[in-house]
Amino acid sequence: MSRAPLSPEVVQTLLKHLSSDDAFRSAFAADPAKALIALGADADSVAACNMPLDSLGGKEEFARAAALLSDRLTVTGPFKVPFMFESGLKGLQD
């Protein structure tokens, strides 16, 4: 079964909340899949990312990296890389 990437709308909402909304950031760190489903993501596409994050990247990090994250999340397939969102935004480092 082929899983779709996150929709551009979900990605934009996700990045907005990660750069500004403390309650959403806490929910996302505790269970990324559940938080993404609440934003409208397809449950099958995010099923692999239900592990809590040890340290979520800072609001400023997300604000600075929003364009690059948006590009990666909308073209790489199902959301299964929550480690990209840990402090230091590891998924954006080459």
Coordinates of all heavy atoms in Angstrom, one line a residue:
M1 N 0.8 -1.2 0.0 CA 0.0 0.0 0.0 C 0.9 1.2 0.0 O 1.8 1.4 0.8 CB -0.9 0.0 1.2 CG -1.6 1.3 1.4 SD -2.4 1.7 3.0 CE -2.9 0.2 3.7
S2 N 0.6 2.2 -0.9 CA 1.4 3.4 -1.0 C 0.7 4.5 -0.1 O -0.5 4.6 -0.2 CB 1.4 3.9 -2.5 OG 2.0 5.1 -2.5
R3 N 1.5 5.1 0.7 CA 1.0 6.2 1.6 C 1.4 7.5 1.0 O 2.5 7.8 0.6 CB 1.6 6.0 3.0 CG 1.1 4.7 3.6 CD 1.7 4.6 5.0 NE 1.4 3.3 5.5 CZ 2.0 2.7 6.5 NH1 3.0 3.3 7.1 NH2 1.7 1.5 7.0
A4 N 0.5 8.4 1.1 CA 0.7 9.8 0.6 C 1.5 10.6 1.6 O 1.4 10.4 2.8 CB -0.7 10.4 0.3
P5 N 2.2 11.6 1.1 CA 2.9 12.6 2.0 C 1.8 13.4 2.6 O 0.6 13.4 2.3 CB 3.7 13.4 1.0 CG 3.1 13.2 -0.3 CD 2.4 11.9 -0.3
L6 N 2.3 14.2 3.6 CA 1.3 15.2 4.2 C 0.9 16.2 3.2 O 1.7 16.6 2.3 CB 2.0 15.9 5.4 CG 2.5 15.0 6.6 CD1 3.3 15.9 7.5 CD2 1.3 14.4 7.2
S7 N -0.4 16.6 3.3 CA -0.9 17.6 2.4 C -0.2 19.0 2.7 O 0.2 19.2 3.8 CB -2.4 17.8 2.5 OG -2.7 18.5 3.7
P8 N -0.1 19.8 1.7 CA 0.5 21.1 1.9 C -0.2 21.9 3.0 O 0.4 22.6 3.8 CB 0.4 21.9 0.6 CG 0.3 20.7 -0.4 CD -0.4 19.6 0.3
E9 N -1.5 21.7 3.1 CA -2.3 22.4 4.2 C -1.9 22.0 5.6 O -1.7 22.8 6.5 CB -3.8 22.3 4.0 CG -4.3 22.9 2.7 CD -4.1 22.0 1.4 OE1 -3.7 20.8 1.5 OE2 -4.3 22.5 0.3
V10 N -1.8 20.6 5.7 CA -1.4 20.1 7.0 C 0.0 20.5 7.4 O 0.3 20.9 8.5 CB -1.5 18.5 7.0 CG1 -0.9 17.9 8.3 CG2 -3.0 18.1 7.0
V11 N 0.9 20.5 6.4 CA 2.3 20.9 6.6 C 2.4 22.3 7.1 O 3.1 22.7 8.1 CB 3.2 20.7 5.4 CG1 4.6 21.4 5.5 CG2 3.4 19.2 5.1
Q12 N 1.7 23.2 6.4 CA 1.7 24.7 6.8 C 1.1 24.9 8.2 O 1.7 25.6 9.0 CB 1.0 25.5 5.8 CG 1.6 25.6 4.4 CD 3.1 26.0 4.5 OE1 3.4 27.0 5.2 NE2 4.0 25.2 3.9
T13 N 0.1 24.2 8.5 CA -0.5 24.3 9.8 C 0.4 23.7 10.9 O 0.6 24.3 12.0 CB -1.9 23.5 9.9 OG1 -2.7 24.1 8.9 CG2 -2.6 23.7 11.2
L14 N 1.0 22.6 10.6 CA 2.0 21.9 11.5 C 3.1 22.9 11.8 O 3.5 23.1 13.0 CB 2.5 20.7 10.9 CG 3.7 20.0 11.6 CD1 3.3 19.5 13.0 CD2 4.3 18.9 10.7
L15 N 3.7 23.5 10.8 CA 4.9 24.4 11.0 C 4.5 25.6 11.8 O 5.2 26.1 12.6 CB 5.5 24.7 9.7 CG 6.2 23.5 9.0 CD1 6.6 23.9 7.6 CD2 7.3 22.9 9.8
K16 N 3.3 26.1 11.5 CA 2.8 27.3 12.2 C 2.6 27.0 13.7 O 3.1 27.8 14.5 CB 1.4 27.7 11.6 CG 0.8 28.9 12.4 CD -0.6 29.2 11.8 CE -1.3 30.2 12.7 NZ -2.7 30.3 12.4
H17 N 2.0 25.8 14.0 CA 1.8 25.5 15.4 C 3.2 25.2 16.1 O 3.4 25.5 17.3 CB 0.9 24.3 15.5 CG -0.5 24.6 15.3 ND1 -1.2 25.6 15.9 CD2 -1.4 24.0 14.5 CE1 -2.4 25.7 15.5 NE2 -2.6 24.7 14.6
L18 N 4.1 24.5 15.4 CA 5.4 24.2 16.0 C 6.2 25.4 16.3 O 7.1 25.4 17.1 CB 6.2 23.2 15.1 CG 5.6 21.8 15.1 CD1 6.4 20.9 14.1 CD2 5.7 21.1 16.5
S19 N 6.0 26.5 15.6 CA 6.7 27.7 15.8 C 6.0 28.7 16.7 O 6.6 29.8 17.0 CB 7.1 28.4 14.4 OG 5.9 28.8 13.8
S20 N 4.8 28.4 17.2 CA 4.1 29.4 18.0 C 3.2 28.8 19.1 O 2.9 29.6 20.0 CB 3.3 30.3 17.1 OG 2.3 29.5 16.5
D21 N 2.8 27.6 19.1 CA 1.7 27.1 19.9 C 2.3 26.1 21.0 O 2.5 25.0 20.6 CB 0.6 26.5 19.1 CG -0.6 26.0 19.8 OD1 -0.5 25.7 21.1 OD2 -1.6 25.9 19.2
D22 N 2.4 26.6 22.2 CA 3.0 25.7 23.2 C 2.2 24.5 23.5 O 2.8 23.4 23.7 CB 3.2 26.5 24.5 CG 4.4 27.5 24.4 OD1 5.3 27.3 23.7 OD2 4.3 28.6 25.1
A23 N 0.9 24.6 23.6 CA 0.0 23.4 23.8 C 0.2 22.4 22.7 O 0.3 21.2 23.0 CB -1.4 23.8 24.0
F24 N 0.2 22.8 21.4 CA 0.4 21.9 20.3 C 1.8 21.3 20.4 O 1.9 20.1 20.1 CB 0.2 22.6 19.0 CG 0.4 21.6 17.8 CD1 -0.7 20.7 17.5 CD2 1.6 21.5 17.2 CE1 -0.5 19.8 16.4 CE2 1.8 20.6 16.2 CZ 0.8 19.8 15.8
R25 N 2.8 22.1 20.7 CA 4.1 21.6 20.7 C 4.2 20.4 21.8 O 4.9 19.4 21.5 CB 5.1 22.7 21.1 CG 5.3 23.7 19.9 CD 6.1 24.9 20.3 NE 7.3 24.6 21.0 CZ 8.4 24.1 20.4 NH1 8.5 24.0 19.1 NH2 9.5 23.9 21.1
S26 N 3.6 20.6 22.9 CA 3.6 19.5 23.9 C 2.9 18.3 23.4 O 3.4 17.2 23.7 CB 2.9 20.1 25.2 OG 3.7 21.1 25.8
A27 N 1.8 18.5 22.8 CA 1.0 17.3 22.3 C 1.8 16.6 21.2 O 1.9 15.4 21.1 CB -0.3 17.8 21.7
F28 N 2.5 17.4 20.3 CA 3.3 16.8 19.2 C 4.5 16.0 19.8 O 4.8 14.9 19.4 CB 3.7 17.9 18.3 CG 4.5 17.4 17.1 CD1 3.8 16.9 16.0 CD2 5.9 17.3 17.1 CE1 4.5 16.4 14.9 CE2 6.6 16.8 16.0 CZ 5.9 16.4 14.9
A29 N 5.1 16.6 20.8 CA 6.3 15.9 21.4 C 5.9 14.6 22.1 O 6.6 13.6 22.0 CB 7.0 16.8 22.4
A30 N 4.7 14.6 22.7 CA 4.2 13.4 23.3 C 3.7 12.3 22.4 O 4.0 11.1 22.6 CB 3.0 13.7 24.3
D31 N 3.1 12.7 21.3 CA 2.6 11.7 20.3 C 2.4 12.4 18.9 O 1.3 12.9 18.6 CB 1.3 11.1 20.8 CG 0.8 10.0 19.9 OD1 1.2 9.8 18.7 OD2 -0.1 9.2 20.4
P32 N 3.5 12.4 18.1 CA 3.4 13.1 16.8 C 2.3 12.7 16.0 O 1.6 13.5 15.4 CB 4.8 12.8 16.2 CG 5.7 12.5 17.3 CD 4.8 11.8 18.3
A33 N 2.0 11.4 15.9 CA 0.9 10.9 15.0 C -0.4 11.4 15.4 O -1.2 11.9 14.6 CB 0.9 9.4 15.0
K34 N -0.7 11.4 16.7 CA -2.0 11.9 17.2 C -2.2 13.4 17.0 O -3.2 13.8 16.5 CB -2.1 11.6 18.7 CG -3.4 11.9 19.3 CD -3.5 11.5 20.8 CE -4.8 11.9 21.4 NZ -4.8 11.5 22.9
A35 N -1.1 14.1 17.2 CA -1.1 15.6 16.9 C -1.4 15.8 15.4 O -2.1 16.7 15.1 CB 0.1 16.2 17.4
L36 N -0.7 15.1 14.6 CA -0.9 15.3 13.1 C -2.3 14.9 12.7 O -2.9 15.6 11.8 CB 0.2 14.5 12.4 CG 1.6 15.1 12.4 CD1 2.6 14.0 12.0 CD2 1.6 16.3 11.6
I37 N -2.8 13.8 13.2 CA -4.2 13.4 12.9 C -5.2 14.6 13.3 O -6.1 14.9 12.5 CB -4.6 12.1 13.5 CG1 -3.8 11.0 12.8 CG2 -6.1 11.8 13.4 CD1 -3.8 9.7 13.6
A38 N -4.9 15.2 14.4 CA -5.8 16.3 14.9 C -5.7 17.5 13.9 O -6.7 18.2 13.8 CB -5.4 16.8 16.3
L39 N -4.6 17.6 13.1 CA -4.5 18.6 12.1 C -5.1 18.2 10.8 O -5.2 19.1 9.9 CB -3.0 19.0 11.9 CG -2.3 19.6 13.1 CD1 -0.9 20.0 12.7 CD2 -3.0 20.9 13.6
G40 N -5.5 17.0 10.6 CA -6.1 16.5 9.4 C -5.3 15.6 8.6 O -5.7 15.2 7.5
A41 N -4.2 15.1 9.1 CA -3.3 14.2 8.4 C -4.0 12.8 8.4 O -4.8 12.4 9.3 CB -2.0 14.0 9.1
D42 N -3.7 12.0 7.3 CA -4.3 10.7 7.2 C -3.6 9.8 8.2 O -2.4 9.7 8.3 CB -4.0 10.2 5.7 CG -4.5 8.8 5.5 OD1 -5.7 8.6 5.5 OD2 -3.6 7.9 5.3
A43 N -4.4 9.0 9.0 CA -3.9 8.2 10.0 C -2.9 7.1 9.5 O -1.8 6.9 10.1 CB -5.0 7.5 10.7
D44 N -3.1 6.6 8.3 CA -2.2 5.6 7.7 C -0.8 6.2 7.4 O 0.2 5.6 7.5 CB -2.7 5.0 6.5 CG -3.9 4.0 6.7 OD1 -4.0 3.5 7.9 OD2 -4.7 3.8 5.8
S45 N -0.8 7.5 7.0 CA 0.4 8.1 6.6 C 1.3 8.5 7.8 O 2.5 8.7 7.6 CB 0.1 9.4 5.8 OG -0.5 9.1 4.6
V46 N 0.7 8.6 9.0 CA 1.5 9.0 10.1 C 1.6 7.9 11.2 O 2.2 8.1 12.3 CB 1.0 10.3 10.8 CG1 1.0 11.4 9.8 CG2 -0.5 10.1 11.3
A47 N 1.1 6.7 10.9 CA 1.1 5.6 11.8 C 2.5 5.3 12.4 O 2.6 4.8 13.5 CB 0.5 4.4 11.2
A48 N 3.5 5.4 11.6 CA 4.9 5.0 12.1 C 5.5 6.0 13.0 O 6.6 5.8 13.4 CB 5.8 4.8 10.8
C49 N 4.9 7.1 13.3 CA 5.5 8.2 14.1 C 4.8 8.4 15.5 O 4.4 9.5 15.8 CB 5.7 9.4 13.3 SG 4.2 10.2 12.9
N50 N 4.6 7.4 16.2 CA 3.9 7.5 17.5 C 4.8 7.5 18.7 O 4.3 7.5 19.8 CB 2.8 6.5 17.6 CG 3.4 5.1 17.5 OD1 4.6 4.9 17.5 ND2 2.5 4.1 17.5
M51 N 6.1 7.5 18.5 CA 7.0 7.6 19.7 C 7.2 9.0 20.1 O 7.4 9.9 19.3 CB 8.3 6.9 19.3 CG 8.2 5.5 18.9 SD 7.7 4.4 20.2 CE 9.1 4.6 21.3
P52 N 7.2 9.2 21.4 CA 7.5 10.6 21.9 C 8.9 11.1 21.5 O 9.8 10.3 21.3 CB 7.4 10.4 23.4 CG 6.9 9.1 23.7 CD 7.0 8.2 22.5
L53 N 9.0 12.4 21.4 CA 10.3 13.0 21.1 C 11.0 13.4 22.4 O 10.3 14.0 23.3 CB 10.1 14.2 20.2 CG 9.4 14.0 18.9 CD1 9.1 15.3 18.2 CD2 10.3 13.1 18.0
D54 N 12.2 13.1 22.5 CA 13.0 13.5 23.7 C 13.1 15.0 23.8 O 13.0 15.6 24.9 CB 14.4 12.9 23.7 CG 14.3 11.4 23.9 OD1 13.4 10.9 24.5 OD2 15.2 10.7 23.3
S55 N 13.4 15.7 22.8 CA 13.6 17.2 22.8 C 13.2 17.8 21.5 O 13.8 17.7 20.5 CB 15.1 17.5 23.1 OG 15.9 17.0 22.1
L56 N 12.0 18.4 21.5 CA 11.5 19.1 20.3 C 12.3 20.3 20.0 O 12.7 21.1 21.0 CB 10.0 19.4 20.6 CG 9.2 20.0 19.4 CD1 9.1 19.0 18.3 CD2 7.8 20.4 19.9
G57 N 12.5 20.6 18.8 CA 13.2 21.8 18.4 C 12.5 23.0 18.9 O 11.3 23.0 19.1
G58 N 13.2 24.1 19.0 CA 12.7 25.3 19.5 C 11.8 26.1 18.5 O 11.9 25.8 17.3
K59 N 10.9 26.9 19.0 CA 10.0 27.7 18.1 C 10.8 28.5 17.1 O 10.4 28.5 15.9 CB 9.2 28.7 18.9 CG 8.2 28.0 19.9 CD 7.5 29.1 20.6 CE 6.7 28.6 21.7 NZ 6.1 29.7 22.6
E60 N 11.9 29.1 17.5 CA 12.7 29.8 16.5 C 13.3 29.0 15.4 O 13.4 29.4 14.3 CB 13.8 30.6 17.3 CG 13.3 31.6 18.3 CD 12.8 31.0 19.6 OE1 13.2 29.8 19.9 OE2 12.1 31.6 20.3
E61 N 13.7 27.7 15.8 CA 14.3 26.8 14.8 C 13.2 26.5 13.8 O 13.6 26.5 12.6 CB 14.7 25.5 15.5 CG 16.0 25.6 16.4 CD 16.3 24.3 17.0 OE1 15.6 23.9 18.0 OE2 17.2 23.6 16.5
F62 N 12.0 26.2 14.2 CA 11.0 25.9 13.2 C 10.6 27.1 12.4 O 10.4 26.9 11.2 CB 9.7 25.4 14.0 CG 9.9 24.0 14.4 CD1 10.0 23.7 15.7 CD2 9.9 22.9 13.5 CE1 10.2 22.4 16.2 CE2 10.0 21.6 13.9 CZ 10.2 21.3 15.3
A63 N 10.6 28.3 12.9 CA 10.3 29.5 12.1 C 11.4 29.7 11.1 O 11.1 30.0 9.9 CB 10.2 30.7 13.0
R64 N 12.7 29.5 11.4 CA 13.7 29.7 10.5 C 13.8 28.6 9.4 O 14.1 28.9 8.2 CB 15.1 29.7 11.2 CG 15.4 31.0 11.9 CD 16.8 31.0 12.4 NE 17.3 29.8 13.1 CZ 17.3 29.6 14.4 NH1 16.8 30.6 15.2 NH2 17.7 28.5 15.0
A65 N 13.4 27.4 9.7 CA 13.5 26.3 8.8 C 12.2 25.9 8.1 O 12.1 24.9 7.4 CB 14.0 25.0 9.6
A66 N 11.2 26.7 8.3 CA 9.8 26.4 7.8 C 9.8 26.1 6.3 O 9.2 25.1 5.8 CB 8.8 27.5 8.1
A67 N 10.5 26.9 5.4 CA 10.4 26.6 4.0 C 11.1 25.3 3.6 O 10.5 24.5 2.8 CB 11.1 27.8 3.2
L68 N 12.2 25.0 4.2 CA 12.9 23.7 3.9 C 12.1 22.5 4.4 O 11.9 21.5 3.7 CB 14.3 23.7 4.5 CG 15.2 22.5 4.2 CD1 15.3 22.2 2.7 CD2 16.5 22.7 4.8
L69 N 11.6 22.7 5.6 CA 10.7 21.6 6.2 C 9.5 21.4 5.3 O 9.1 20.2 5.0 CB 10.3 21.9 7.6 CG 11.4 21.6 8.7 CD1 10.9 22.3 10.0 CD2 11.6 20.1 8.9
S70 N 8.9 22.4 4.9 CA 7.7 22.3 4.1 C 8.0 21.6 2.8 O 7.2 20.7 2.4 CB 7.2 23.7 3.7 OG 6.0 23.6 2.9
D71 N 9.1 21.9 2.1 CA 9.4 21.2 0.9 C 9.7 19.7 1.1 O 9.2 18.9 0.4 CB 10.7 21.8 0.3 CG 10.5 23.2 -0.3 OD1 9.3 23.5 -0.5 OD2 11.5 23.8 -0.6
R72 N 10.4 19.4 2.2 CA 10.7 18.0 2.5 C 9.5 17.2 2.9 O 9.3 16.0 2.5 CB 11.7 17.9 3.6 CG 13.1 18.3 3.0 CD 14.2 17.9 4.0 NE 15.5 18.3 3.5 CZ 16.6 18.1 4.1 NH1 16.6 17.4 5.2 NH2 17.7 18.5 3.5
L73 N 8.6 17.8 3.7 CA 7.4 17.0 4.2 C 6.4 16.8 3.1 O 5.6 15.8 3.2 CB 6.8 17.8 5.3 CG 7.6 17.8 6.6 CD1 7.0 18.7 7.6 CD2 7.8 16.4 7.2
T74 N 6.3 17.6 2.1 CA 5.2 17.4 1.1 C 5.7 16.6 -0.1 O 4.9 16.2 -0.9 CB 4.7 18.8 0.5 OG1 5.8 19.5 0.0 CG2 4.0 19.6 1.6
V75 N 6.9 16.2 -0.2 CA 7.4 15.4 -1.3 C 8.0 14.1 -0.9 O 8.2 13.2 -1.8 CB 8.4 16.1 -2.2 CG1 7.7 17.3 -2.9 CG2 9.6 16.5 -1.5
T76 N 8.3 13.8 0.3 CA 9.1 12.6 0.6 C 8.2 11.4 1.0 O 8.7 10.4 1.4 CB 10.1 12.9 1.8 OG1 9.3 13.3 2.9 CG2 11.1 13.9 1.3
G77 N 6.9 11.5 1.0 CA 6.1 10.3 1.3 C 5.5 10.4 2.7 O 5.4 11.5 3.3
P78 N 5.1 9.3 3.3 CA 4.4 9.3 4.5 C 5.3 9.9 5.6 O 6.5 9.8 5.6 CB 4.1 7.8 4.8 CG 5.0 7.1 3.9 CD 5.3 7.9 2.8
F79 N 4.7 10.5 6.6 CA 5.5 11.1 7.7 C 5.9 10.0 8.6 O 5.1 9.4 9.3 CB 4.6 12.1 8.4 CG 5.3 12.8 9.5 CD1 6.0 13.9 9.2 CD2 5.3 12.4 10.8 CE1 6.7 14.6 10.2 CE2 5.9 13.0 11.8 CZ 6.7 14.2 11.5
K80 N 7.2 9.7 8.6 CA 7.7 8.6 9.5 C 9.1 9.0 10.1 O 9.8 8.1 10.5 CB 7.8 7.3 8.7 CG 8.7 7.4 7.4 CD 8.7 6.1 6.7 CE 9.4 6.3 5.4 NZ 9.3 5.2 4.5
V81 N 9.3 10.2 10.1 CA 10.6 10.7 10.6 C 10.5 11.7 11.7 O 11.0 12.9 11.5 CB 11.5 11.2 9.4 CG1 12.0 10.1 8.5 CG2 10.8 12.2 8.6
P82 N 9.9 11.4 12.8 CA 9.7 12.4 13.8 C 11.0 13.0 14.4 O 11.1 14.1 14.9 CB 8.9 11.7 14.9 CG 9.0 10.3 14.6 CD 9.3 10.1 13.2
F83 N 12.1 12.2 14.2 CA 13.4 12.7 14.7 C 13.8 14.0 14.0 O 14.7 14.7 14.6 CB 14.5 11.6 14.5 CG 14.8 11.3 13.1 CD1 15.7 12.1 12.4 CD2 14.2 10.2 12.5 CE1 16.0 11.8 11.0 CE2 14.4 10.0 11.1 CZ 15.3 10.7 10.4
M84 N 13.3 14.3 12.9 CA 13.6 15.5 12.2 C 13.3 16.7 13.1 O 13.8 17.8 12.9 CB 12.8 15.7 10.9 CG 13.4 14.9 9.7 SD 12.4 15.2 8.2 CE 12.4 16.9 8.0
F85 N 12.4 16.5 14.0 CA 11.8 17.6 14.8 C 12.5 17.8 16.1 O 12.1 18.7 16.9 CB 10.3 17.5 14.9 CG 9.6 17.6 13.6 CD1 9.4 16.5 12.8 CD2 9.1 18.8 13.2 CE1 8.8 16.6 11.6 CE2 8.5 19.0 12.0 CZ 8.3 17.8 11.2
E86 N 13.4 17.0 16.4 CA 14.1 17.1 17.7 C 15.0 18.3 17.7 O 15.4 18.8 16.7 CB 14.9 15.8 18.0 CG 14.0 14.6 18.3 CD 14.8 13.4 18.7 OE1 15.9 13.2 18.3 OE2 14.2 12.6 19.5
S87 N 15.4 18.7 18.9 CA 16.2 19.9 19.1 C 17.4 19.8 18.1 O 18.1 18.8 18.0 CB 16.7 20.0 20.5 OG 17.5 21.1 20.7
G88 N 17.7 20.9 17.5 CA 18.8 21.0 16.5 C 18.3 20.6 15.1 O 19.0 20.7 14.1
L89 N 17.0 20.3 14.9 CA 16.4 19.9 13.7 C 17.3 19.0 12.9 O 17.7 19.3 11.8 CB 15.9 21.2 12.9 CG 14.9 22.0 13.6 CD1 14.5 23.2 12.7 CD2 13.6 21.2 13.8
K90 N 17.6 17.9 13.4 CA 18.6 16.9 12.9 C 18.3 16.5 11.4 O 19.1 16.3 10.7 CB 18.6 15.7 13.8 CG 19.1 15.9 15.1 CD 18.9 14.7 16.0 CE 19.2 15.1 17.5 NZ 19.0 14.0 18.3
G91 N 17.0 16.5 11.1 CA 16.6 16.1 9.7 C 17.0 17.1 8.7 O 16.9 16.8 7.5
L92 N 17.4 18.3 9.1 CA 17.7 19.3 8.1 C 19.2 19.5 7.9 O 19.7 20.2 7.1 CB 17.1 20.7 8.5 CG 15.6 20.7 8.5 CD1 15.2 22.1 9.0 CD2 15.0 20.4 7.2
Q93 N 20.0 18.7 8.7 CA 21.4 18.7 8.6 C 21.9 17.7 7.5 O 21.4 16.6 7.5 CB 22.1 18.5 9.9 CG 21.6 19.5 10.9 CD 22.1 19.2 12.3 OE1 22.8 18.3 12.6 NE2 21.5 20.0 13.3
D94 N 22.8 18.1 6.7 CA 23.3 17.2 5.6 C 24.5 16.4 6.1 O 25.1 16.6 7.0 CB 23.8 18.0 4.4 CG 22.6 18.7 3.8 OD1 21.5 18.1 3.7 OD2 22.8 19.9 3.3

